[in-house]
Amino acid sequence: MKLVRLSKISIAACVTSLFALVLVGLHSMGSVSEKQAQIRALLDLNARVGAFSVASDALLVNTAAPARLQSYLDEAQSLKQTVTELAGDHPAARRFITHIDLLVDHLSYVYSPSFGSQEKNDSRDLADSPLPLSQTSATIINEVAEHGIELDRALAELTRHRQGQIAQEANWIAGGFAGAAIMFGLLCIFAFTLLYKRIHGPLQTLTQAARRVEAGEHDVRVPVKGSDEIADLSHTFNQMLDHKDSVVKILAKTLATRDALIDSLPAHIALLDEKGEILEVNNQWRQFGTSNDQRDATSGVGSNYLAVSRTADGDDAEKALEAADGLQAVLAGERDSFALEYPCHSPDQLRWFRMVATRLPPNPETEDMQGAVVMHVDITERRLAEQTLENMAYQDPLTGQANRLGFAKAFSRYVDQHGWIPHDIIALLDIREMRHINDDLGYDVGDQLLIEIAQRLEEHLSDGAFFARFSGDQFIILLPGTDASQPQTQINKLIEIFHHPIHLSEHVIKVATHSGYTLLGEDERSVKVLIHEVEIALHEGRRDNSELCGYDWEVDQIAKQRIALAEDLRVALQEDQLELHYQPKVDLATGELVACEALIRWMHPERGMQMPNQFIDVAEQSQLIGPIGNWVLFQACRHLREWLDAELDVVQVSVNVSVEQLRLGGFTHKVQEALETYAIDPAGLTLEITESVFSEDAESSRKQLDDLHELGVRISLDDFGTGYSSLLYLQKYPFDEIKIDMGFVRNLLEAPLNRNIVSMVLGISRVLGADTVAEGVENTAVRDVLIELGCRLGQGYYYSMPLEVEDFRWLLEQHSRLPLTSTPPRRDPLR
């Protein structure tokens, strides 16, 4: 039997016996407690009987109240029941009960009326006693006394009998527990003896064999008996001895392989003892010494690595001392490893190495340090690659000048050398129309232009100035300042560099720029903050279409306000603060409602109603125009669906689209999704695009508009005549409608030129086959002129202001012609 199985059986038997012993013990404790309770009951009975006897005498001598007599009788009954429960059929118990009954009878008789009558006939010697010492009374007293004595005797006999019984039962309980404990002990002794016999002898034999092997006897074998674990161990022990020679051979081969592997590594490796002396080196170490004319034939074996490092001289002596200190800490056990990169240049070659010192584990028996392994790895290729990457990281590959990171590094170096100079200026130049140059002339010409601009800056900048190509078409420059009150003078001189056209083969390009700048001032700031300031200044300058803008507190506040407004817009999208109003488009001749334009409004919780011109620019610059434009598109389609479901005379709905939405891409898919979501006929939707789409003239924008037109959606050119319109552009785009800007319409009566412009636009629309809508119609005179010129459609406050959804729905339900009143509402220039 296996020792494990035998042990489990023994443990199970002992545990079972222990559990049985615990159960016996618990039962014995319960029985003893029960016997103790019986003893206490006997003692209590004796006390109660004594009190009962005293009460009997007291009731004979003194007259008692009926309640007291009743208590006496109840106690007598209780004593009888208690004795019956304790003694069963014991003779003494029956006598006890008999005498209790006799005592009760005598007392009952004494307090009965018949006893009183009899006493009247007898002489009374004691007037205030219920038992005068008459013949009858004397007899009763004697009988009660006799019964009391007999009662005590019966109780004493009963008590002795019960005590004997309890003692005998307690002895049996103790004997039973002692027997169980003895059985448990014998079982444990038997189990442990059996295990000892099974283990001791074979284990002793195995131990003796192991000691003989340790002493050097290699032919020792252990006899294998049985099939238990020790037999398996003995068999394994014999197998280990049988394979010892092969293991030694394998180990020798492994050591040889290890040496070969270490020698084949490209690293230079040395093994050191705990004092730093070189014990062994690999072939790479030896070859390096040979190739560098090292005269030591032992390649340093036997010398002290620490001493050699500390006595090194030359340019890299400090690195050698650092290596010695790090290695000393490793050998002392203060650290597990140490690494250091250091140069090791020769006159004709740049070289770098990485030294790594690793502590060997301490001797497990003595816990003494055993030394370390030092490895030198040639990292020249990596360092050269890092230098190349660093140049790439800080240098613009097109112009060869510094890039954004390179400027930051150059600025930090400049401040370290010259200190913080408040008059110095950082300017950011943005090349205008770079996108069109790339699109029209090609990216090769655009790249050559940027190279030429960089060369001009390098030629014309003053000493001490430096610059970098900041991004695709932006350059950042540091200009050493001379007068803090005249920074614009220096910037204008910088801008003058580009007033002369740039000649590139057959192309002559005139460069225009936007510029933003900031003064270093008295407060020192990081280059990151300074760059942020010039970006803000440039951004605000481009917004105002100014050539030059400086950063100051006011500009910063405006930028912060725009950022705050952008955050409020994000909240507005999340909390549904936006809403759509609809302005009718009508037939000028009849006043019939033919279409409407969806105009976004923002009901700000604090500032009230916000018009589009107050937040659309911020939305476009903060990348919120996409979500807002999608909301307008889907909301307009939802309202159109509701009007269709209500069976109203639904008109076409126009939605304004920002150029930024087209630039983001995927706009065609969004329109398709909105139409499909609300099951809208594409012909019922018109997308109004401003002329700024021509400033981009991007192929992606044209492609999206073409796709939408093929889908059936109408395309409208909004605010025509105020931006970049040209017949060439009008030919490229599929416009179904052209809207004349309200600036021409409102002054139609006062400015004859406006009349000619409107007439010209109407002619262009007819040529293109597009409808024409006049915006800003505010009185009958303007309407009549437009009709006279041939304009059929219009919108404006003469007919209706933009209406909330409920009001516009009411207008559809009424089928009314516009205007509804003879007096048009007040003009509101904000759409």
Side-chain angles (χ1 to χ4, degrees):
M1 181 183 295
K2 294 288 187 179
L3 292 176
V4 172
R5 185 177 180 185
L6 180 61
S7 300
K8 290 181 179 178
I9 293 174
S10 301
I11 292 172
C14 291
V15 170
T16 304
S17 301
L18 178 61
F19 181 71
L21 180 62
V22 170
L23 292 178
V24 172
L26 293 174
H27 181 267
S28 300
M29 289 177 63
S31 299
V32 169
S33 298
E34 182 181 349
K35 302 309 172 188
Q36 289 176 345
Q38 292 175 359
I39 294 296
R40 287 195 296 271
L42 286 174
L43 295 176
D44 182 58
L45 179 62
N46 277 277
R48 290 172 61 189
V49 170
F52 182 79
S53 299
V54 172
S56 299
D57 295 338
L59 290 173
L60 287 174
V61 176
N62 301 307
T63 302
R68 186 175 179 184
L69 178 62
Q70 185 60 44
S71 297
Y72 174 81
L73 296 176
D74 292 340
E75 178 63 13
Q77 186 64 30
S78 176
L79 288 172
K80 288 169 58 179
Q81 291 178 354
T82 302
V83 170
T84 301
E85 293 173 358
L86 291 174
D89 58 350
H90 194 276
R94 292 193 293 273
R95 293 201 308 274
F96 182 89
I97 294 170
T98 300
H99 289 299
I100 288 289
D101 290 337
L102 291 174
L103 285 173
V104 171
D105 291 341
H106 282 305
L107 263 297
S108 299
Y109 173 70
V110 168
Y111 280 85
S112 66
S114 59
F115 178 74
S117 300
Q118 184 177 353
E119 281 299 299
K120 291 179 182 179
N121 300 323
D122 293 338
S123 58
R124 295 187 58 173
D125 295 334
L126 189 56
D128 57 353
S129 173
L131 290 177
L133 299 178
S134 62
Q135 184 65 36
T136 302
S137 298
T139 301
I140 289 174
I141 288 174
N142 289 333
E143 289 179 355
V144 168
E146 289 177 1
H147 291 314
I149 292 170
E150 291 300 323
L151 182 65
D152 291 339
R153 287 177 180 173
L155 178 61
E157 183 179 348
L158 177 61
T159 300
R160 287 194 299 275
H161 176 76
R162 286 298 297 154
Q163 287 178 340
Q165 284 182 333
I166 292 171
Q168 186 178 5
E169 291 173 357
N171 291 335
W172 277 108
I173 291 170
F177 180 75
I182 291 171
M183 291 296 294
F184 173 73
L186 291 175
L187 179 62
C188 291
I189 291 171
F190 173 77
F192 292 137
T193 301
L194 180 61
L195 285 173
Y196 176 79
K197 288 183 178 180
R198 289 289 303 274
I199 295 174
H200 176 69
L203 188 61
Q204 188 175 25
T205 301
L206 187 61
T207 303
Q208 291 174 353
R211 289 175 179 172
R212 291 173 61 189
V213 171
E214 184 181 7
E217 298 183 29
H218 302 297
D219 55 347
V220 178
R221 295 294 182 273
V222 179
V224 179
K225 298 179 180 179
S227 59
D228 55 17
E229 290 82 353
I230 294 181
D232 296 340
L233 183 61
S234 300
H235 179 71
T236 303
F237 182 79
N238 292 337
Q239 285 184 328
M240 289 174 59
L241 294 176
D242 292 338
H243 291 85
K244 183 178 179 181
D245 292 340
S246 60
V247 170
V248 171
K249 293 179 180 178
I250 293 173
L251 181 60
K253 183 178 180 181
T254 301
L255 290 174
T257 303
R258 185 214 65 171
D259 292 340
L261 288 173
I262 292 175
D263 286 338
S264 64
L265 291 176
H268 313 136
I269 302 173
L271 177 64
L272 312 182
D273 65 10
E274 67 278 6
K275 296 179 181 179
E277 292 186 359
I278 301 176
L279 302 178
E280 186 180 353
V281 296
N282 70 340
N283 284 339
Q284 289 293 332
W285 186 288
R286 298 187 186 94
Q287 291 174 6
F288 183 79
T290 302
S291 62
N292 286 273
D293 299 328
Q294 188 179 56
R295 298 180 181 180
D296 187 358
T298 62
S299 299
V301 175
S303 61
N304 190 284
Y305 191 101
L306 297 173
V308 172
S309 298
R310 290 196 170 104
T311 57
D313 55 7
D315 296 336
D316 303 322
E318 292 184 2
K319 287 289 185 180
L321 288 175
E322 186 178 349
D325 293 339
L327 178 58
Q328 182 67 58
V330 171
L331 293 173
E334 298 173 1
R335 55 193 301 178
D336 292 332
S337 63
F338 169 78
L340 173 71
E341 294 185 2
Y342 63 93
C344 185
H345 305 318
S346 64
D348 57 349
Q349 183 182 8
L350 294 177
R351 287 185 304 190
W352 287 267
F353 285 90
R354 176 179 174 83
M355 171 217 176
V356 179
T358 305
R359 181 168 63 96
L360 293 173
N363 190 316
E365 297 180 357
T366 62
E367 296 187 357
D368 293 335
M369 297 297 171
Q370 297 196 86
V373 174
V374 175
M375 180 169 58
H376 295 261
V377 181
D378 191 333
I379 59 170
T380 302
E381 290 185 7
R382 194 201 78 191
R383 290 300 294 267
L384 292 175
E386 287 176 352
Q387 288 183 353
T388 302
L389 289 175
E390 184 175 1
N391 291 335
M392 293 174 62
Y394 293 106
Q395 188 178 61
D396 175 42
L398 177 64
T399 63
Q401 301 296 330
N403 59 12
R404 181 173 183 152
L405 291 176
F407 179 82
K409 184 177 181 181
F411 179 80
S412 299
R413 186 168 56 247
Y414 174 83
V415 172
D416 291 340
Q417 294 175 355
H418 304 285
W420 186 270
I421 303 175
H423 296 173
D424 286 353
I425 304 167
I426 293 182
L428 184 61
L429 298 184
D430 180 51
I431 310 302
R432 299 188 192 182
E433 309 301 333
M434 195 67 198
R435 181 191 300 271
H436 293 295
I437 294 173
N438 287 330
D439 289 344
D440 297 339
L441 304 180
Y443 282 92
D444 290 340
V445 174
D447 289 345
Q448 289 298 318
L449 175 63
L450 292 172
I451 294 172
E452 180 64 26
I453 290 173
Q455 290 176 352
R456 283 198 180 185
L457 287 172
E458 189 173 17
E459 292 172 0
H460 291 86
L461 287 179
S462 61
D463 293 338
F466 57 89
F467 72 98
R469 185 186 176 196
F470 189 71
S471 63
D473 54 0
Q474 293 179 346
F475 291 86
I476 189 168
I477 306 106
L478 181 132
L479 299 172
T482 57
D483 186 354
S485 64
Q486 298 294 330
Q488 293 185 1
T489 302
Q490 292 181 264
I491 302 297
N492 287 329
K493 290 180 180 179
L494 177 65
I495 295 174
E496 288 177 1
I497 298 174
F498 305 104
H499 285 178
H500 300 288
I502 295 177
H503 297 268
L504 298 175
S505 61
E506 71 275 14
H507 303 292
V508 178
I509 302 174
K510 186 175 181 180
V511 176
T513 63
H514 287 295
S515 303
Y517 70 91
T518 184
L519 277 171
L520 266 61
E522 299 294 337
D523 297 330
E524 294 190 16
R525 304 177 302 286
S526 68
V527 67
K528 182 179 180 181
V529 172
L530 292 169
I531 290 175
H532 179 64
E533 291 176 0
V534 295
E535 286 180 319
I536 290 176
L538 178 63
H539 177 74
E540 293 303 319
R542 283 190 301 199
R543 271 181 36 81
D544 299 336
N545 199 28
S546 61
E547 191 175 33
L548 179 61
C549 180
Y551 175 84
D552 56 20
W553 182 87
E554 183 178 352
V555 169
D556 185 70
Q557 292 304 307
I558 292 173
K560 289 180 179 178
Q561 290 172 5
R562 296 177 69 81
I563 293 173
L565 184 60
E567 290 301 320
D568 287 349
L569 269 176
R570 289 188 176 89
V571 175
L573 276 170
Q574 296 171 0
E575 298 183 358
D576 199 24
Q577 296 175 7
L578 302 176
E579 57 186 53
L580 287 184
H581 290 192
Y582 292 91
Q583 186 174 34
K585 295 181 182 179
V586 300
D587 186 313
L588 296 177
T590 65
E592 180 184 358
L593 177 62
V594 296
C596 65
E597 180 180 0
L599 300 171
I600 189 170
R601 299 291 186 265
W602 177 11
M603 184 57 70
H604 195 282
E606 297 176 359
R607 297 192 292 271
M609 181 70 73
Q610 303 292 297
M611 294 300 174
N613 67 332
Q614 295 175 282
F615 61 87
I616 288 299
D617 286 348
V618 174
E620 289 179 337
Q621 294 160 11
S622 57
Q623 298 183 347
L624 289 174
I625 194 62
I628 291 176
N630 292 338
W631 180 87
V632 171
L633 176 65
F634 278 80
Q635 192 77 347
C637 289
R638 183 175 71 84
H639 290 157
L640 186 55
R641 181 73 263 165
E642 291 175 356
W643 301 334
L644 288 169
D645 292 342
E647 298 183 352
L648 301 176
D649 291 337
V650 179
V651 297
Q652 289 179 340
V653 176
S654 296
V655 173
N656 289 283
V657 177
S658 169
V659 176
E660 294 296 326
Q661 291 177 258
L662 297 174
R663 184 182 295 122
L664 291 172
F667 183 66
T668 303
H669 174 72
K670 281 295 178 185
V671 173
Q672 287 179 314
E673 182 182 351
L675 294 173
E676 292 172 0
T677 299
Y678 296 104
I680 302 299
D681 183 0
L685 179 65
T686 300
L687 302 179
E688 296 190 6
I689 314 294
T690 64
E691 294 181 22
S692 57
V693 71
F694 301 144
S695 67
E696 300 294 328
D697 194 28
E699 182 62 30
S700 61
S701 298
R702 293 199 299 271
K703 178 66 166 58
Q704 291 180 82
L705 293 179
D706 287 339
D707 292 343
L708 289 169
H709 190 263
E710 291 179 6
L711 183 64
V713 176
R714 289 170 54 83
I715 308 299
S716 173
L717 177 60
D718 195 12
D719 298 335
F720 181 74
T722 61
Y724 305 88
S725 297
S726 73
L727 294 178
L728 177 63
Y729 287 137
L730 290 176
Q731 273 188 321
K732 292 182 179 179
Y733 290 84
F735 292 115
D736 300 290
E737 177 184 276
I738 295 178
K739 300 184 73 174
I740 305 173
D741 184 71
M742 64 179 64
F744 300 116
V745 175
R746 284 176 180 167
N747 299 320
L748 190 60
L749 301 178
E750 293 82 4
L753 178 62
N754 286 0
R755 183 185 181 103
N756 294 332
I757 292 175
V758 171
S759 180
M760 179 191 68
V761 173
L762 289 169
I764 293 174
S765 298
R766 284 192 292 271
V767 170
L768 295 176
D771 294 331
T772 307
V773 179
E775 295 184 293
V777 180
E778 297 183 356
N779 54 61
T780 55
V782 170
R783 178 201 63 184
D784 293 342
V785 172
L786 288 171
I787 294 174
E788 179 186 343
L789 292 174
C791 183
R792 189 177 68 87
L793 304 175
Q795 68 183 93
Y797 277 70
Y798 172 73
Y799 294 101
S800 174
M801 65 185 295
L803 302 174
E804 295 184 10
V805 178
E806 295 80 6
D807 295 335
F808 188 77
R809 177 170 180 151
W810 177 86
L811 193 63
L812 292 175
E813 292 171 348
Q814 298 304 310
H815 307 286
S816 300
R817 296 183 183 274
L818 298 176
L820 296 178
T821 62
S822 59
T823 303
R826 179 182 57 85
R827 175 194 295 184
D828 187 347
L830 302 179
R831 296 181 62 201

